[in-house]
Amino acid sequence: MRYSAWKVFWEGLTGNKGWTPQWREPEPKPEYDVIIVGGGGHGLATAYYLAKEHGITNVAVVEKGWIGGGNVGRNTTIVRSNYMLPGNEPFYELSMKLWENLEQDFNYNAMISQRGILNLSHSDPQHDAYARRGNAMQLVDAGAVLLGKEEVRKMCPFLDFDNARFPIRGGIWQPRGGTVRHDAVAWGYARGADSRGVDILQNCEVNGFILENGVCKGVETSRGTIRAKKVAVAVAGNSGKVMAKADMRLPIESHVLQAFVSEGLKPLIPGVITFGAGHFYVSQSDKGGLVFGGDIDGYNTYAQRGNLPVVEDVCEGGMALIPMIGRARLLRAWGGIMDMSMDGSPFITKTHIDGLHFNGGWCYGGFKATPASGFCYAHLLARGEPHEVATEYRLDRFRRGAMIDEKGQGAQPNLH
Ligand SMILES: Cc1cc2nc3c(=O)[nH]c(=O)nc-3n(C[C@H](O)[C@H](O)[C@H](O)COP(=O)(O)OP(=O)(O)OC[C@H]3O[C@@H](n4cnc5c(N)ncnc54)[C@H](O)[C@@H]3O)c2cc1C
C-alpha cells in the first residue's frame, strides 16, 4: 500500500477500513540466501537495502521478540554526523544523507526533524577541541558552526551561562542534526523490506548456528532450523550472547542506558542540546515532553531497566544546565542494552567463520547510524567486501592496533 495525502483523505471518508497490515507474518522457509539475526533498526535496514540496492530478496529477518522492541524503539532519537576521526566521519555523514532522503525513499513518515544539535563548551580547551572537530566535519561537508557565548545565549536564553562550576563558553552547532521518530524507522524499513519479498519472522529466537566444516550454513531457532548461504548478525545489546553460540568472544560489553521523558511543556528547546561538562542531552518531542538521557549505568547487564543513582545523576546534569527544568515532573523512564565496544566505534565485518557476518558495537550512538549501517552491511553481504566508508569497522582492528578511539576513553566502556 502506498501512503499519500489522497489515501488519508479517502480513508477518512470511508471509515478507515482500507488500511492493511504493514508487513506479512510468514512461516519460515527451510532455506534463504541471507538470514539476518535481529529485527532492530540495523537488521531491518540491512534487509531493506539488500532488496532495494542489490536485488537480493530471498532474505529472512529473524527477530526473537517484536519489531521495534529493542533499542531502535528505546533511544532518545538523536541523529547527527558530528564525528571527527577519519574512520568514522564519512560513515556518519553518509548516514545523515540517507536520513535526509529516507521518508521519500521508503514512503513512510518518520518525522525527520533537522532542528540542529548544539554541543556546549565550558572551557577554552574544550572550545578549541570543538573548533578542531568542526574543521573535520567541514572536510566532509557535514556543516558545523562554532558559536560564542552570546550567540548561544540568543539561541537558548534559558541556559545557566554563569554556573559557578560549568560556565558556558560557547558551543558547536550542526544545523542538520536533529531527531527522528524512532519506531517509525523500524516500521518503515520493515514495510519496505517486506514489500520487496523479505520475510520478517517475529517471535523467532536464534539459539545456535549450523556450523559445518568451519562454514556457517544457517541458524537453529525456536521455530526450527533455517538454512542460509549467508548469516548476518545484528543483535545490538545481545551481541556477546549470540556470538558466543559460535564460540566467539567479542571486544564488547553490555551495559544498560536509560532514557527519560518529562510531562508536556510549551515549546522550549529549539533542537538538541548537549552538556559538555557532564553527560546530559535533551530535546523536546512533538507532544512537548523533554526527552533526555545521560550516562550508562556503569555495570554489565542484560536487563532493560536501570537504577536510581543514574536517574539522580542525569537530573543533576539537567539542573546544572537548565535550572528551571527542576520544576517539571518526570513521567517515564526506561532502559536498553548497549553493545559498548572497547574504543567506542562499531563493527560491520566478516568473521573468521565463512558465511557468518557481524554488525554491532554501536554503544549509545547506533540509532543515527541505522541507515548507513544497513546500507554498508548490505554492501558487504552482497559484494563480499566492505563499503568504502566502512573499511575500518573490522573486528581485527584491536589486534592490528588500529582502534578508532572516537571517545578518547580507551578500553573502558563504563567511562564513555
Ligand atoms: C536509552 C537509549 C538512548 C539512546 N539514544 C540514542 C540517540 O539519541 N542517538 C543514537 O544514535 N543512538 C541512541 N541509542 C543507541 C541506539 O538505540 C542503538 O545503538 C541502536 O538502536 C542499536 O541497533 P538496533 O536498532 O539494530 O538494535 P535493537 O533494536 O536492539 O535490535 C536488535 C534486535 O536483536 C534482537 N535479538 C537479540 N537476540 C536475538 C536472538 N538470539 N535471536 C533473534 N533476535 C535477537 C532483539 O530482540 C532486538 O530486537 C540509544 C539507546 C538507548 C537504549
Side-chain angles (χ1 to χ4, degrees), residues 273-289:
I273 303 174
T274 76
F275 184 27
H279 206 162
F280 175 80
Y281 37 89
V282 62
S283 65
Q284 191 163 14
S285 78
D286 295 321
K287 285 195 281 183

Side-chain angles (χ1 to χ4, degrees), residues 147-160:
L147 301 175
K149 182 174 172 178
E150 292 314 312
E151 290 163 301
V152 173
R153 198 194 297 276
K154 259 191 222 148
M155 198 183 268
C156 304
F158 47 82
L159 298 175
D160 187 2

Side-chain angles (χ1 to χ4, degrees), residues 40-42 63-64 71-72 75-76 78 206 236 364-368:
H42 293 237
E63 165 55 48
K64 76 171 174 180
N71 290 344
V72 69
N75 57 66
T76 40
I78 300 167
V206 168
Y364 38 67
F367 177 62
K368 71 180 80 65

Side-chain angles (χ1 to χ4, degrees), residues 228-247:
K229 296 190 180 75
K230 291 182 179 173
V231 175
V233 174
V235 293
N238 284 282
S239 293
K241 272 209 259 185
V242 170
M243 295 309 277
K245 297 181 197 303
D247 271 343

Side-chain angles (χ1 to χ4, degrees), residues 44-317:
L44 292 165
T46 305
Y48 176 77
Y49 291 118
L50 266 178
K52 179 169 175 274
E53 300 292 323
H54 304 281
I56 300 174
T57 55
N58 186 21
V59 175
V61 177
V62 181
E63 165 55 48
K64 76 171 174 180
W66 68 96
I67 295 307
N71 290 344
V72 69
R74 291 168 180 269
N75 57 66
T76 40
T77 77
I78 300 167
V79 301
R80 56 186 170 88
S81 61
N82 55 1
Y83 283 67
M84 189 175 81
L85 299 181
N88 273 338
E89 178 55 17
F91 173 83
Y92 285 98
E93 182 48 27
L94 170 67
S95 214
M96 185 56 92
K97 291 208 169 73
L98 290 167
W99 281 123
E100 285 171 338
N101 197 32
L102 192 65
E103 290 166 318
Q104 290 72 20
D105 188 39
F106 62 23
N107 178 234
Y108 203 80
N109 181 9
M111 294 165 69
I112 295 173
S113 172
Q114 291 179 288
R115 288 168 291 165
I117 178 164
L118 173 65
N119 303 113
L120 295 168
S121 61
H122 302 268
S123 64
D124 287 343
Q126 188 173 34
H127 203 64
D128 289 349
Y130 281 176
R132 184 174 172 221
R133 177 177 296 268
N135 286 333
M137 290 163 65
Q138 297 287 23
L139 288 176
V140 292
D141 284 337
V145 186
L146 197 64
L147 301 175
K149 182 174 172 178
E150 292 314 312
E151 290 163 301
V152 173
R153 198 194 297 276
K154 259 191 222 148
M155 198 183 268
C156 304
F158 47 82
L159 298 175
D160 187 2
F161 286 85
D162 301 314
N163 183 298
R165 280 181 74 196
F166 312 115
I168 293 171
R169 163 73 179 81
I172 186 169
W173 186 47
Q174 188 186 24
R176 291 161 67 231
T179 57
V180 181
R181 167 83 193 268
H182 50 194
D183 32 22
V185 173
W187 301 331
Y189 275 127
R191 173 174 167 272
D194 174 89
S195 67
R196 287 171 171 82
V198 171
D199 283 356
I200 295 173
L201 308 173
Q202 298 184 90
N203 299 310
C204 185
E205 178 167 4
V206 168
N207 298 317
F209 297 99
I210 307 169
L211 299 175
E212 291 171 2
N213 301 323
V215 180
C216 184
K217 296 284 179 91
V219 290
E220 304 287 356
T221 79
S222 53
R223 291 171 70 179
T225 300
I226 315 177
R227 297 184 75 85
K229 296 190 180 75
K230 291 182 179 173
V231 175
V233 174
V235 293
N238 284 282
S239 293
K241 272 209 259 185
V242 170
M243 295 309 277
K245 297 181 197 303
D247 271 343
M248 282 183 66
R249 197 153 174 248
L250 303 172
I252 288 179
E253 287 183 9
S254 289
H255 288 255
V256 65
L257 177 70
Q258 304 189 55
F260 308 92
V261 180
S262 78
E263 61 187 324
L265 304 173
K266 286 182 181 170
L268 167 70
I269 311 275
V272 180
I273 303 174
T274 76
F275 184 27
H279 206 162
F280 175 80
Y281 37 89
V282 62
S283 65
Q284 191 163 14
S285 78
D286 295 321
K287 285 195 281 183
L290 301 181
V291 181
F292 57 96
D295 273 323
I296 51 178
D297 274 34
Y299 49 86
N300 298 150
T301 177
Y302 287 106
Q304 294 193 123
R305 60 173 187 279
N307 275 306
L308 288 173
V310 167
V311 180
E312 193 176 354
D313 182 63
V314 172
C315 292
E316 276 173 1

Side-chain angles (χ1 to χ4, degrees), residues 299-341:
Y299 49 86
N300 298 150
T301 177
Y302 287 106
Q304 294 193 123
R305 60 173 187 279
N307 275 306
L308 288 173
V310 167
V311 180
E312 193 176 354
D313 182 63
V314 172
C315 292
E316 276 173 1
M319 291 285 289
L321 201 60
I322 316 174
M324 69 182 178
I325 64 170
R327 306 275 298 275
R329 276 166 294 198
L330 192 60
L331 282 196
R332 296 189 285 136
W334 63 85
I337 317 164
M338 315 311 319
D339 36 337
M340 303 298 293
S341 69

